Amino acid sequence: MPNGLLILEDGTFIKGKTFGAKTEVFGEIVFNTSMTGYEESFTDPSYAGQILLMTYPLIGNYGIHKKNLESHKTQIRGLVVKEPYLHSHRGQQLADFIKKAAIPCLYSVDTRALTLKIRKHGTMKAMIISENSPAVDITSYLKKIKNTPYPDTENLVARVSCKRIIVHKSRKKKKVVLIDCGVKKSILKNLKKYAAVIQVPYDTSTAAIKKISPDAVVISNGPGNPEHPQILKTTVKTAADLVNYYPVFGICLGHQILGRALGLRTYKLKFGHRGSNHAVKNLNNGSLYITSQNHGYALQAKYSNKEVEIDWLNVNDHTVEGLRHKKLPVSSVQFHPEASPGPRDTEFLFRNFMESL
């Protein structure tokens, strides 16, 4: 395999080997602590704009299976692993998948040391150079990294949201509008158990949604900054209107958008929550749940809206994991109830929301 290079914005450069696309990519490097679920991570739209570092040392050992993909394409810009398993006899082999996705994978890297660095200093802008040679000008690449804005300064949601209304039929009588900010297929799968789903673009207006006459509205997960000007102008504004007309449920980015619509503010986490082993506490009954998460922003715990209360907290760092409106049928969670790492855990949230309509 050809040699490759990972360059971080702080000047660190790490040598390794590469396969996949022979190119260079720029993105925000983030780490995921899951032992399984790499197929879902590669194709989760919430990773748009990011280079993914997997902390588990062996990736690709059970192949790639189409049924597990969370979207129609690979969403990460690049992949960093310690050891890829390239000879799986089940599903598509990792090397073939990465090659078809036209992204580079850097491996034979000390992923433990790199993860500890990100934990200490926070996520960073980075580049993968897939064909390294003695002639590579690291200084030039470093200047390019520093001068390029973080990916979340872009409207990443616009890149991954659907471009038109998509109707997902169901035998159930209820009808739910799903505001697509980068929805995972498993969220659609869970919603279709209870209702027909009308998937709409992220910037769909309140008037357009009211014409559909839904029984409820769900705001999906997605990438980027929930306080990006275009998101505030469209999705957040629409969410602030919709809570007065329909039951609303938000997931991940949808949780942040809904919180912002209700008067809360967001902030960027140092290195985010990405993995399938995050413990959260339900403050209503004291129960603990293991959850799957993938986000780089969080809601501030201090807020002035007395009609909103926090009802889920992260056990590790006490960040806000869920909220609800005291008077309206409006709630949200930061974690992914559809991901069910345990294997079902908080999947009941879909059932509770739909049965409450």
Side-chain angles (χ1 to χ4, degrees), residues 145-160:
I145 292 170
K146 289 181 177 180
N147 289 338
T148 306
Y150 267 88
D152 59 15
T153 59
E154 307 170 36
N155 183 1
L156 294 171
V157 170
R159 293 192 174 194
V160 296

Side-chain angles (χ1 to χ4, degrees), residues 73-127:
K73 69 174 186 177
T74 303
Q75 302 288 350
I76 59 173
R77 290 185 178 179
L79 178 65
V80 180
V81 300
K82 181 176 177 60
E83 181 182 352
Y85 191 80
L86 303 175
H87 308 290
S88 172
H89 296 290
R90 297 182 178 181
Q92 185 179 15
Q93 292 186 0
L94 178 63
D96 294 335
F97 178 83
I98 294 298
K99 183 178 180 181
K100 186 176 180 181
I103 64 170
C105 174
L106 184 76
Y107 70 99
S108 286
V109 169
D110 187 344
T111 52
R112 179 180 175 83
L114 185 54
T115 301
L116 291 173
K117 184 179 188 63
I118 294 172
R119 281 181 60 88
K120 182 177 180 180
H121 300 287
T123 61
M124 288 182 257
K125 294 182 288 184
M127 287 188 72

Side-chain angles (χ1 to χ4, degrees), residues 1 13 18 50 107 131 184 217 257 264 278 291:
M1 295 289 184
F13 63 93
T18 63
Q50 296 175 333
Y107 70 99
E131 284 194 294
K184 294 167 62 181
V217 175
I257 287 171
L264 285 73
H278 292 262
T291 67

Side-chain angles (χ1 to χ4, degrees), residues 280-289 311-313 348-349:
V280 301
K281 184 175 184 179
N282 185 319
L283 301 183
N284 295 319
N285 58 24
S287 297
L288 297 179
Y289 298 87
D311 59 353
W312 293 83
L313 278 181
F348 66 85
L349 290 171

Side-chain angles (χ1 to χ4, degrees), residues 255 259 262-265 267 280-286 298-315 317-326 330-335:
H255 159 76
L262 294 171
L264 285 73
R265 298 301 299 267
Y267 66 100
V280 301
K281 184 175 184 179
N282 185 319
L283 301 183
N284 295 319
N285 58 24
L299 287 173
Q300 292 181 359
K302 295 181 180 180
Y303 54 95
S304 57
N305 190 340
K306 295 181 180 180
E307 294 185 339
V308 175
E309 71 175 6
I310 295 169
D311 59 353
W312 293 83
L313 278 181
N314 189 291
V315 172
D317 60 9
H318 305 292
T319 49
V320 177
E321 291 285 354
L323 58 81
R324 71 180 185 90
H325 198 283
K326 294 179 181 179
V330 172
S331 62
S332 62
V333 289
Q334 181 62 77
F335 50 89

Side-chain angles (χ1 to χ4, degrees), residues 206 209-211 213-217 242-248 329-330:
T206 303
I209 290 173
K210 289 175 78 172
K211 284 183 180 180
S213 299
D215 296 290
V217 175
L242 292 173
V243 296
N244 298 304
Y245 301 102
Y246 306 105
V248 181
V330 172

Side-chain angles (χ1 to χ4, degrees), residues 215-248:
D215 296 290
V217 175
V218 174
I219 308 173
S220 85
N221 66 293
N225 183 355
E227 296 198 30
H228 187 282
Q230 289 301 315
I231 302 301
L232 290 175
K233 191 184 298 185
T234 55
T235 324
V236 171
K237 182 178 182 297
T238 299
D241 291 336
L242 292 173
V243 296
N244 298 304
Y245 301 102
Y246 306 105
V248 181

